[in-house]
Amino acid sequence: MIRKIVLYIALSLTLITVGYFSFIYYIPYSEGVRSGELIKISHKGFVVKTWEGELSQGISGAQIFAFSIMDNETAIIEQLKQNQGKKVTLEYEERYKTFFWWGDTRYFVTKVSLEK
């Protein structure tokens, strides 16, 4: 009897954990597009390195869009490196939450295009 209860509790906790991580990983909160001058792209971190960037959307320093890039998005990382200092358009997904091994922000770039 007690073994069944412990088994049900363990199974429930496992399903809740898997559901939570799946929700965070697969379900975006919003999607959008931002344009501006790409002012920073860096690979930072002490133990876990993540790709982070900043996009200036105006004259004021208050209009900085901070974003992250997933490690497996090597093509996007290379495009950002090549277009540093140029005007770009970024398509992104906003997540409900993030994990420390993904990046510092909830905004993840999915596409980069150079403005003409």
Side-chain angles (χ1 to χ4, degrees):
M1 176 77 168
I2 293 178
R3 290 177 76 183
K4 279 187 178 182
I5 293 172
V6 170
L7 181 64
Y8 287 138
I9 290 172
L11 184 61
S12 297
L13 290 175
T14 302
L15 288 174
I16 289 169
T17 303
V18 168
Y20 174 76
F21 281 100
S22 296
F23 180 78
I24 297 298
Y25 186 79
Y26 291 108
I27 309 293
Y29 176 69
S30 71
E31 296 174 346
V33 177
R34 296 215 185 183
S35 297
E37 181 183 355
L38 182 62
I39 58 173
K40 178 183 171 187
I41 179 76
S42 63
H43 196 215
K44 67 180 205 172
F46 184 67
V47 176
V48 178
K49 292 200 175 280
T50 60
W51 285 97
E52 310 296 331
E54 290 181 353
L55 187 74
S56 175
Q57 295 184 283
I59 297 170
S60 162
Q63 295 176 323
I64 301 293
F65 173 63
F67 60 89
S68 300
I69 308 104
M70 299 288 260
D71 279 333
N72 61 351
E73 300 283 0
T74 55
I76 291 174
I77 293 167
E78 287 305 314
Q79 284 180 317
L80 290 169
K81 285 181 184 178
Q82 292 171 0
N83 294 316
Q84 176 126 7
K86 298 178 184 173
K87 293 209 179 268
V88 295
T89 299
L90 303 178
E91 290 184 25
Y92 65 91
E93 289 182 345
E94 180 183 4
R95 301 289 180 175
Y96 288 97
K97 287 194 170 272
T98 186
F99 302 113
F100 68 90
W101 61 87
W102 278 4
D104 291 343
T105 71
R106 297 181 324 176
Y107 301 96
F108 294 92
V109 173
T110 57
K111 186 177 179 184
V112 178
S113 55
L114 192 59
E115 282 190 13
K116 295 178 182 168

